[in-house]
Amino acid sequence: MGFGFLGLGGHVPPLVIDNAQVAEWTGAEESWIVERTGIRERRYREPGTVTSDLALHAAREALGALPEAAARLGVMIVATSTPDQPQPSTGAILQDKLGLTEVPAFDVNAVCSGFLYALAVADSMLSARLAGQGGDHALVVGTDIYSSLMNRSDRRTVSLFGDGAGAVLLGPVPDGYGVLGWRLVAHGEHHDLVEVPAGGTRTPLDARSREAGEHLFRMRGREVREYALGVLPKVVGEALDSAGVRLENVDRFILHQANTRLVEACARELGVAPDRVPLTAPQFGNTATASIPLTLRAENELRPFRRGERLVLAGVGGGMTAGAVVVRWY
């Protein structure tokens, strides 16, 4: 028995931030934003909305695909790098909002790779039957609110990120379907390429750190791009090897939507045609941990996956981290 996707969910908030707004904040030309990123708009939370609120919408949609799934959940994992609060976990808060008491719930933070890490953990727990009271389903959610971290004067980052949530319901499928293999890596020596310096035990979130902007997101974009183009093909290749699948037999690649131009460059580096690599970055921007499940859901709505299709879900994130998961659709 394998474990595959039995339900998909996704949610973005209604507030649209277009390139005209970003240009007003940063002084960048709208044409520069489109040329450099391929992003035309992104979504921001409305006042009072927290990360678990976005997750709740996506989780309910995923669970709704199989009404009895909630009673069969063995674990729920929330991937996020923008939690509701430092503690408790956003997973525990989401569990309460869903009314799923006693189901083990926790967070995973691998920044934009977080959904892939959480998916691999869920698959491992279900496969080992270590997921709590015999539950044979898992809810995996990727959710982030990066608008809360943006330096609105920094055109290199504020032009990229938006808010959103995506979710999958993982459950039993026949042998040969579902998750076939995965590969995760981390290169902590590059942890300073993507960061929010303040707010932890190293740098307190105080008046000085706020004045210095250390509570806001920072990224060394050129080096992140080099990391992605160097590491992603290797990780994808290793995941395919573990699954016994050849690159040319993969039907679609669901890549982390860092930005349109980087997704296009990754596709070229992998040697796959653009029509095998769906894009949601133009309308949603980089939604961090939400981008892979959001893109999975959007592509399934546009061109429904057929039974037996082989998919690769892959991306990189801060840390630096990277991952790839090979799935055969059921």
Side-chain angles (χ1 to χ4, degrees):
M1 179 184 295
F3 296 94
F5 299 152
L6 303 181
L8 303 176
H11 178 74
V12 291
L15 178 60
V16 175
I17 303 296
D18 60 18
N19 286 342
Q21 178 63 76
V22 174
E24 182 179 328
W25 288 337
T26 64
E29 295 289 338
E30 290 183 55
S31 58
W32 179 91
I33 298 170
V34 174
E35 179 183 345
R36 293 292 293 271
T37 72
I39 295 170
R40 298 187 177 277
E41 59 185 38
R42 66 289 293 150
R43 304 295 185 94
Y44 274 17
R45 66 164 173 180
E46 295 177 308
T49 299
V50 296
T51 300
S52 62
D53 292 331
L54 300 187
L56 181 63
H57 289 285
R60 281 176 171 164
E61 184 178 3
L63 288 170
L66 194 65
E68 70 269 24
R72 297 174 60 180
L73 279 183
V75 66
M76 53 183 297
I77 307 174
V78 172
T80 186
S81 52
T82 57
D84 283 15
Q85 56 195 71
Q87 56 176 290
S89 72
T90 302
I93 295 169
L94 178 62
Q95 186 228 50
D96 177 54
K97 290 183 176 182
L98 288 167
L100 299 174
T101 187
E102 295 193 4
V103 175
F106 56 93
D107 290 358
V108 167
N109 181 0
V111 195
C112 295
S113 298
F115 177 79
L116 299 168
Y117 271 64
L119 185 58
V121 171
D123 177 64
S124 299
M125 292 181 71
L126 291 180
S127 298
R129 292 287 191 260
L130 297 177
Q133 292 79 31
D136 59 358
H137 287 61
L139 179 66
V140 183
V141 184
T143 181
D144 270 311
I145 292 180
Y146 266 60
S147 64
S148 65
L149 303 176
M150 286 296 100
N151 177 351
R152 294 189 178 183
S153 66
D154 181 5
R155 66 178 185 174
R156 297 167 300 175
T157 56
V158 75
S159 61
L160 299 177
F161 287 89
D163 304 337
V168 300
L169 174 65
L170 200 65
V173 293
D175 282 339
Y177 292 90
V179 175
L180 303 180
W182 46 267
R183 173 73 166 130
L184 306 175
V185 299
H187 297 93
E189 63 271 27
H190 301 306
H191 67 270
D192 58 346
L193 297 187
V194 176
E195 63 177 352
V196 176
T201 56
R202 184 178 66 179
T203 304
L205 188 57
D206 55 19
R208 186 213 61 79
S209 62
R210 285 185 175 278
E211 179 65 24
E214 294 174 352
H215 62 302
L216 299 175
F217 178 85
R218 299 178 180 180
M219 180 172 68
R220 286 152 55 181
R222 185 182 301 275
E223 290 155 282
V224 170
R225 177 186 172 86
E226 291 172 356
Y227 177 86
L229 294 178
V231 173
L232 194 66
K234 182 174 185 291
V235 171
V236 168
E238 291 171 348
L240 287 170
D241 287 345
S242 75
V245 176
R246 297 174 63 87
L247 182 75
E248 57 267 29
N249 293 329
V250 176
D251 296 284
R252 286 181 257 190
F253 293 80
I254 311 298
L255 301 183
H256 166 54
Q257 306 286 299
N259 67 70
T260 307
R261 303 300 174 232
L262 185 52
V263 174
E264 293 168 342
C266 286
R268 290 193 297 270
E269 200 69 24
L270 288 166
V272 300
D275 63 356
R276 295 163 68 193
V277 186
L279 286 170
T280 56
Q283 65 265 40
F284 297 146
N286 182 343
T287 54
T289 57
S291 79
I292 288 176
L294 269 177
T295 303
L296 190 70
R297 173 183 174 271
E299 179 68 359
N300 190 51
E301 287 190 339
L302 184 64
R303 296 188 299 163
F305 298 116
R306 304 178 306 277
R307 180 170 293 187
E309 273 200 70
R310 294 174 177 88
L311 313 177
V312 168
L313 285 56
V316 302
M320 294 292 290
T321 60
V325 180
V326 183
V327 177
R328 190 177 183 208
W329 192 264
Y330 179 70

